[in-house]
Amino acid sequence: MNKLDGTDEPNQRVASALDRATQQTGVGFAAEVAEASGRYDRAEDIVGLWLGLGLAAWVWFALPDAADAGPGSWAGVTEGGKFLAMAGALIAGFVGGAVAASYVPAIRRPFIPRREIHACVERAADAALARELVTRSNPATDERARVLLFFVSVYERRAVVLADASTLERLGPTGVETLCRELTDRLAEGDIDAALAAVVQRGVSMLAA
């Protein structure tokens, strides 16, 4: 996961918005952008399996049978030879498809169940909130940190907004849902930094109300 670290100009704008929001509200505003929230190995295997089966089927129909070959023909392949060729095509297709899907995420996306995407993003967002709470807590005073986290997972095209119990109470029962919906709508415009900056300001307004 890649945190917004302010190393370039757009991210610096978001980092500044987070700092201002924290100072204005007393709540630790945080944002994290992940390239992906899950590894999705199973989807890669499925891509490899389908490609392997397709290659094996092609081999079965493409290679001529020995019985169909004319006298003196060198093209005839025995059933045993075809079986070995199919097995080789299956293995090669499986490995090649899995590797291709690992390097080209768009290939594996259609094979990932929505519930798996949802679970991976939620788990990654929960872990990000836990890290923020630990980082911002003060062991000397035993004071629990207050955090409002905006989490974006680019590959899954999902956004999550999470808050600690105290901040959640300040926002009200539907506050987090409202922020998450607004962040999702703004992300659809294609500018992650602009979406985060705008929703951070929206969070400040809601906490100040």
Side-chain angles (χ1 to χ4, degrees):
M1 294 182 188
N2 299 323
K3 271 198 172 184
L4 298 172
D5 53 12
T7 53
D8 55 28
E9 187 173 348
N11 281 359
Q12 184 60 51
R13 176 178 56 169
V14 177
S16 298
L18 294 170
D19 290 340
R20 288 195 304 270
T22 299
Q23 294 170 6
Q24 293 170 1
T25 63
V27 173
F29 275 63
E32 186 165 323
V33 177
E35 292 184 7
S37 293
R39 182 64 181 83
Y40 306 116
D41 295 351
R42 185 181 305 173
E44 294 174 7
D45 292 342
I46 293 174
V47 172
L49 179 61
W50 277 108
L51 180 59
L53 289 173
L55 287 177
W58 177 82
V59 166
W60 177 260
F61 289 107
L63 291 183
D65 293 326
D68 295 334
S73 173
W74 54 269
V77 180
T78 64
E79 292 296 323
K82 291 185 71 172
F83 175 79
L84 291 176
M86 288 176 60
L90 179 62
I91 295 172
F94 178 82
V95 174
V99 170
S102 69
Y103 282 99
V104 186
I107 296 177
R108 66 174 182 256
R109 186 179 179 84
F111 301 94
I112 306 174
R114 289 186 178 181
R115 62 179 180 277
E116 184 179 357
I117 289 178
H118 178 77
C120 287
V121 174
E122 290 290 333
R123 185 163 53 247
D126 288 340
L129 178 62
R131 288 193 298 271
E132 290 293 337
L133 289 171
V134 170
T135 301
R136 295 172 184 267
S137 294
N138 187 348
T141 61
D142 198 27
E143 181 180 356
R144 182 177 175 84
R146 290 177 293 176
V147 174
L148 180 60
L149 171 72
F150 301 90
F151 182 85
V152 177
S153 196
V154 178
Y155 177 66
E156 295 84 354
R157 302 171 190 168
R158 297 290 179 93
V160 179
V161 179
L162 297 175
D164 68 285
S166 175
T167 304
L168 189 60
E169 185 176 353
R170 287 180 61 182
L171 286 170
T174 61
V176 168
E177 288 83 355
T178 299
L179 289 172
C180 187
R181 184 166 56 251
E182 182 170 340
L183 178 56
T184 301
D185 292 343
R186 289 183 177 275
L187 286 171
E189 299 172 5
D191 190 333
I192 295 176
D193 296 327
L196 286 170
V199 178
V200 164
Q201 189 55 47
R202 171 67 166 157
V204 172
S205 300
M206 293 176 65
L207 287 169

